[in-house]
Amino acid sequence: MVRTDQQRGAAGLDEQPRTRWVDQAAFTLRRPDLRLGTRNHRVDSGGDATGDRIAVQHRVRTSTAEYSLLLNAPGHVGRRTVGDALRDAVAELRAIDLTYGPTRPDSLVSRLRRGEISPESYPPLADLVDRCAAMRAATDGWFDAWAVPGGFDPGGLLNGWAVERAAARLRAAGITDYAVLSGADLTVRGHAAHGGPWRVAVHHPTDGRRAPLVLEMTAGAVGTSGVSGRRGHVVDPHTGDPADQLVAATVVGPDLAVADAYATALYAAGPTGLAWFRNGSGYQALFAHRRR
């Protein structure tokens, strides 16, 4: 069993990420709350809310992704407050899809690529560009949002960035126990409805017979690249050729946008990228599966 503790992650989060890697023998007695790495992410029923708690599950689809949001809160918060927080988070996900999607010709990202605006024109856009620049430096250029046809494309971390911004809406509304999932990515805080840590089963991307890697989390994120099995969707930024060394890469850490970017870079770089996780960054590679 391994425990990772980090006071402040690369994104400057105030929460203290807690991830415990659970012994499989102990896990067999408990059902996971969340599953990642299967064909579609799954939300299992981990038990009813304990005591005077309000538990809500909601799924929303945008033009590019599907998200699951799980919230639970003390009863005194009230269902109206929980509902308002959920609507704010969903609105944020939809707004990011409309405003920053690289495939939308009128999005801020597309306008930036055409030179019509600068990043400083919109503070969230400046944050997105700064994050991409920071991850290019952190991964020795293996994550490079500028090394794609047509110019700047933040796709390798945009989904994680959207999830983290939606999660920030939940925290601003006073919701401290939640999980937000998209595909094989997730961010969690606090506790599940049953009162314990979120139990997350991360499945092998290609071999369904393998037992999943099990995490118990009260704060943190899991980002994955390549789990869909599509080849050629990530390119080597140094050559422009499709990355083909790994079948999938999964990274755990404090912030999903950063974990997503690390996973994308690791998928592109192959085993060479494992060196990035030896410098005390607070992020760890869970899976880096070679392609056979």
Side-chain angles (χ1 to χ4, degrees):
M1 182 181 298
V2 178
R3 190 183 186 92
T4 61
D5 296 327
Q6 177 76 15
Q7 290 289 345
R8 293 180 68 86
L13 296 177
D14 293 330
E15 298 90 345
Q16 186 177 32
R18 298 286 185 184
T19 300
R20 187 172 67 163
W21 302 16
V22 181
D23 182 86
Q24 182 65 29
F27 170 72
T28 56
L29 302 177
R30 296 182 176 182
R31 175 185 293 179
D33 304 300
L34 311 166
R35 294 182 182 273
L36 299 179
T38 53
R39 184 172 296 275
N40 294 302
H41 67 256
R42 264 177 46 193
V43 177
D44 286 358
S45 175
D48 295 332
T50 58
D52 184 22
R53 306 284 295 185
I54 300 169
V56 176
Q57 295 185 19
H58 183 75
R59 182 164 290 190
V60 59
R61 183 185 295 275
T62 68
S63 66
T64 57
E66 184 176 283
Y67 303 90
S68 292
L69 298 91
L70 291 79
L71 289 62
N72 71 90
H76 67 79
V77 171
R79 293 189 176 277
R80 182 170 183 175
T81 297
V82 174
D84 288 345
L86 178 61
R87 281 189 289 273
D88 281 349
V90 170
E92 184 72 10
L93 292 171
R94 293 194 184 281
I96 290 173
D97 177 56
L98 292 171
T99 309
Y100 297 93
T103 61
R104 293 182 178 274
D106 57 346
S107 74
L108 295 182
V109 169
S110 294
R111 293 178 63 193
L112 178 66
R113 294 169 73 169
R114 294 194 298 265
E116 298 173 2
I117 59 173
S118 68
E120 292 72 25
S121 303
Y122 301 89
L125 179 62
D127 177 61
L128 182 61
V129 172
D130 287 347
R131 282 172 171 264
C132 288
M135 292 311 301
R136 179 170 59 181
T139 61
D140 305 315
W142 283 98
F143 178 90
D144 191 344
W146 290 267
V148 293
F152 177 69
D153 185 341
L157 63 70
L158 182 61
N159 194 55
W161 185 72
V163 168
E164 290 291 356
R165 288 183 63 87
R169 290 288 192 103
L170 297 176
R171 293 194 298 275
I175 306 300
T176 58
D177 300 288
Y178 61 80
V180 185
L181 298 84
S182 178
D185 300 339
L186 70 79
T187 189
V188 301
R189 292 293 185 277
H191 297 81
H194 49 67
W198 295 95
R199 297 190 293 264
V200 182
V202 185
H203 289 261
H204 189 280
T206 59
D207 188 353
R209 297 170 297 177
R210 292 194 187 185
L213 176 64
V214 182
L215 310 175
E216 285 188 343
M217 306 178 71
T218 54
V222 179
T224 298
S225 181
V227 75
S228 67
R230 288 188 299 121
R231 303 180 75 159
H233 72 293
V234 175
V235 301
D236 179 336
H238 303 294
T239 66
D241 297 328
D244 203 34
Q245 294 191 64
L246 302 181
V247 67
T250 301
V251 173
V252 63
D255 181 88
L256 182 54
V258 176
D260 259 352
Y262 267 129
T264 300
L266 181 58
Y267 185 91
T272 301
L274 294 174
W276 304 324
F277 307 103
R278 300 171 188 153
N279 60 3
S281 67
Y283 293 84
Q284 295 187 36
L286 297 187
F287 291 135
H289 297 292
R290 290 180 180 272
R291 193 178 296 277
R292 294 180 179 178

